[in-house]
Amino acid sequence: MSLLFEPFQQRGISLRNRIGVSPMCQYSSQDGFANDWHLVHLVSRAVGGPGLVMTEAAAVTAEGRITPGDLGIWKDEHIEKLSQITALIRENGAIAGIQLAHAGRKASCDVPWKGGAALAENEGGWRPILGPSAIAFDEESPIPKAMTIAEIAELQQSFVAAARRSIEAGFQLIELHLAHGYLLHEFFSPLSNQRSDRYGGSFENRTRIAVEIVEAVRTEIPESMPLWIRISATDWAEGGWDIEQSVRLSQALKPLGVDLIDCSSGGLVPDVKISVGAGYQTGFSDRIRQAANIATATVGLITTPEQAEQIIQTEQADIVLLGRELLRDPYWPHQAAKQLRAKSHHYPEQYQRAWS
């Protein structure tokens, strides 16, 4: 029996299987607005059969975008198109999730296919960019403005407002982006946070911003709505954030209403050595799942149905999130169901003749 195609229930939702579409930036928005590209991209994945379809990182403020092409949810006008997309995702059997984010010191960059370098204001970028401390990402990046206590409070309210808009837009699950070297991750790591106030120094101080945002967002959203967190389990750099701190953070967030830790890694500092290989991050999701007694998701070079099945069978994670593999093959879940002989999987009626 395939466990990959068993339902996953959490709070008021039920995923039809343990496969999710990982958040993947499309860099195709103008002023944060979703458009027909996002509709086709996300809904076609829902037709492909996963249990969960997540949007790319949606910026909670305009200056929190990685690039001018990032998706946003910082104003009410963003809701209309997102509502159309979530309705079609649900109509095609998947749960609609959104990832809320702020890019921090990695904001104001060009899109990847144009090189991804930092953009000056006369090139369509913006200043200031924000961070916990005035430490640039690398030698080619601008120095961020160290956030004041007042700006941190404003940021928290931006996440709350974005969560409220997400509910209005029809999303059924919210994930907060605390990974990949973006703003909240920057607060966690001593490599990017050298503050001397209550948001810097000790583990409790460096993670305080996440605790406060989780508490505020959890209060805003319905009890029936799952709240997930994506973290970088390690910076892969000496003196930085690591798996032990990730376990402590997970243990601290669970009682506050976090339902799942989405385990990725890296992104905080450039030129680190990462031992990349098939399923190379499953050790993080396994460790956190066991040590913090919380559900986890894993991501990273998961490509075959047998590999995904083995992750679930061996309880290394509760959810397998796919990124590039679903760009290459939006119907990977259907292929996997056939290959694993999953009896519980249902194909779209319009496509059944192709899978019989």
Side-chain angles (χ1 to χ4, degrees), residues 7-253:
F8 178 75
Q9 295 183 344
Q10 196 172 70
R11 292 189 185 262
I13 69 167
S14 179
L15 277 63
R16 57 187 169 185
N17 55 48
R18 307 300 184 97
I19 304 166
V21 178
S22 188
M24 293 179 283
C25 289
Q26 299 297 295
Y27 307 109
S28 299
S29 294
Q30 290 186 349
D31 194 28
F33 282 91
N35 53 45
D36 286 347
W37 173 266
H38 300 90
L39 186 151
V40 172
H41 166 67
L42 293 169
V43 176
S44 65
R45 269 76 199 164
V47 173
L52 171 68
V53 175
M54 293 276 285
T55 70
E56 63 193 88
V60 299
T61 67
E63 67 272 12
R65 293 172 293 169
I66 307 164
T67 77
D70 281 24
L71 187 67
I73 193 163
W74 68 81
K75 55 186 176 182
D76 292 346
E77 289 79 5
H78 290 144
I79 294 172
E80 182 178 3
K81 188 66 174 183
L82 291 171
S83 297
Q84 181 186 5
I85 293 170
T86 60
L88 288 169
I89 290 173
R90 296 194 309 271
E91 184 178 316
N92 284 281
I95 295 295
I98 187 170
Q99 186 186 68
L100 305 181
H102 191 295
R105 68 180 186 174
K106 296 175 79 173
S108 188
C109 292
D110 208 344
V111 297
W113 50 83
K114 293 183 179 180
L119 289 173
E121 290 181 85
N122 62 2
E123 298 173 319
W126 52 90
R127 298 292 183 274
I129 59 171
L130 302 176
S133 301
I135 303 171
F137 174 68
D138 60 21
E139 294 181 354
E140 304 298 323
S141 300
I143 297 174
K145 176 185 181 295
M147 296 178 72
T148 66
I149 296 295
E151 287 171 331
I152 291 173
E154 291 174 4
L155 174 73
Q156 293 171 0
Q157 289 308 306
S158 295
F159 272 93
V160 170
R164 187 181 307 122
R165 294 186 188 101
S166 299
I167 296 166
E168 291 184 38
F171 288 101
Q172 300 156 280
L173 180 151
I174 288 175
E175 178 173 273
L176 304 180
H177 199 351
L178 280 61
H180 298 166
Y182 299 125
L183 183 59
L184 300 183
H185 181 190
E186 292 164 20
F187 272 88
F188 294 169
S189 180
L191 300 177
S192 49
N193 182 350
Q194 296 181 4
R195 301 175 71 96
S196 58
D197 61 9
R198 60 194 178 100
Y199 291 99
S202 68
F203 169 86
E204 287 76 14
N205 282 356
R206 286 182 283 112
T207 58
R208 187 184 305 277
I209 189 169
V211 168
E212 292 177 347
I213 289 174
V214 164
E215 289 178 324
V217 170
R218 183 76 263 179
T219 300
E220 180 67 29
I221 65 178
E223 183 68 22
S224 59
M225 174 177 278
L227 179 61
W228 291 11
I229 302 295
R230 171 165 277 191
I231 64 169
S232 282
T234 178
D235 290 340
W236 300 100
E238 185 177 354
W241 183 259
D242 57 24
I243 183 60
E244 300 302 328
Q245 294 175 88
S246 292
V247 168
R248 288 182 64 187
L249 177 64
S250 302
Q251 291 169 332
L253 294 181

Side-chain angles (χ1 to χ4, degrees), residues 309-326:
E309 179 69 34
Q310 192 263 347
I311 290 169
I312 302 300
Q313 289 275 3
T314 56
E315 299 184 342
Q316 295 177 75
D318 298 273
I319 300 291
V320 171
L321 296 175
L322 302 179
R324 290 178 176 87
E325 195 62 26
L326 286 178

